[in-house]
Amino acid sequence: MNTLAKVLFSVMVAIPLGFGTMASQAEIAYSEQLWNFDREQPGTLPSEFSIGSLFDGRPAGNWQVLATDRAKSPPHVLAQVMAKGAEHAYKVVLIKEVIASDLNLEVSFLPIQGQADMGGGLIWRAADDRNYYLARANPLEQNIRVYRVEKGVRHLLENFDQTIDVRQWHTLRVTHRGCRVNIFYDDKQVFDLCDKTFHDGMIGLWTKSDAVTYFDDLRLEHVK
């Protein structure tokens, strides 16, 4: 199965506009791509996804498709199920062959468990698993934060205190055009900032430490 076929297999709604090349990786230019994971085999990782590495070289989490009656759009979710990890163990999964610059990016997430950390977030404009932008929501801290991660080190850009109910699904949405970043939690805008560090890159998902989190309906729109 070629690359395009693999992507279309996981995408429910995708309108092809064309193809291009950027930084030696293929940018697949759709008006919209949606990963709901419902056609994937439970216990597997979708073929276009790639798990990053922890600081000690081990895989950055146990990411897999799960069949669950708690899915936002049944029957499947993509879950990070490794329920242990050091304080700075960043569990990262990236979509290898999708490169985006200006974008609208959204995901639904359900916090499942975690004592040291909980919840998760969105990655975008990632050069690799150690350099990217991150927006994450943490029910233990009851806040939402946006970071710039460089060489595996997080740099806090802004914080927003927010009550996060662990009993229900929530959404994180990012719009990034040029340097301007707007981030929304459950359709409420929480950040409006400018950062010029990263210009394009991969998208992905993120958890930390011992957080177990379900993700569903990952949606990307390229903004021209």
Side-chain angles (χ1 to χ4, degrees), residues 101-154:
S101 178
D102 291 352
L103 54 75
N104 297 321
L105 182 64
E106 179 178 315
V107 75
S108 295
F109 71 96
L110 178 65
I112 299 299
Q113 68 182 67
Q115 295 183 346
D117 208 273
M118 205 173 189
L122 281 169
I123 289 171
W124 71 99
R125 293 193 180 184
D128 51 38
D129 61 353
R130 294 174 59 80
N131 297 275
Y132 50 84
Y133 289 116
L134 165 68
R136 71 97 176 106
N138 187 331
L140 295 183
E141 297 179 3
Q142 293 289 282
N143 61 27
I144 301 162
R145 290 181 172 180
V146 56
Y147 293 93
R148 181 180 65 246
V149 180
E150 295 179 278
K151 298 181 180 179
V153 177
R154 292 186 304 175

Side-chain angles (χ1 to χ4, degrees), residues 47-121:
S47 59
E48 65 268 33
F49 284 67
S50 178
I51 298 175
S53 298
L54 297 176
F55 51 82
D56 59 5
R58 291 179 295 124
N62 181 3
W63 295 85
Q64 59 179 271
V65 173
L66 289 183
T68 173
D69 58 6
R70 302 183 72 182
K72 177 75 177 294
S73 58
H76 296 162
V77 300
L78 182 63
Q80 198 300 111
V81 297
M82 181 184 289
K84 59 182 180 180
E87 167 65 20
H88 297 291
Y90 302 151
K91 312 292 181 57
V92 172
V93 66
L94 299 171
I95 301 179
K96 297 177 291 187
E97 296 166 359
V98 175
I99 303 297
S101 178
D102 291 352
L103 54 75
N104 297 321
L105 182 64
E106 179 178 315
V107 75
S108 295
F109 71 96
L110 178 65
I112 299 299
Q113 68 182 67
Q115 295 183 346
D117 208 273
M118 205 173 189

Side-chain angles (χ1 to χ4, degrees), residues 36-49:
N36 59 21
F37 312 109
D38 293 335
R39 296 185 179 184
E40 304 291 345
Q41 183 68 30
T44 67
L45 183 70
S47 59
E48 65 268 33
F49 284 67

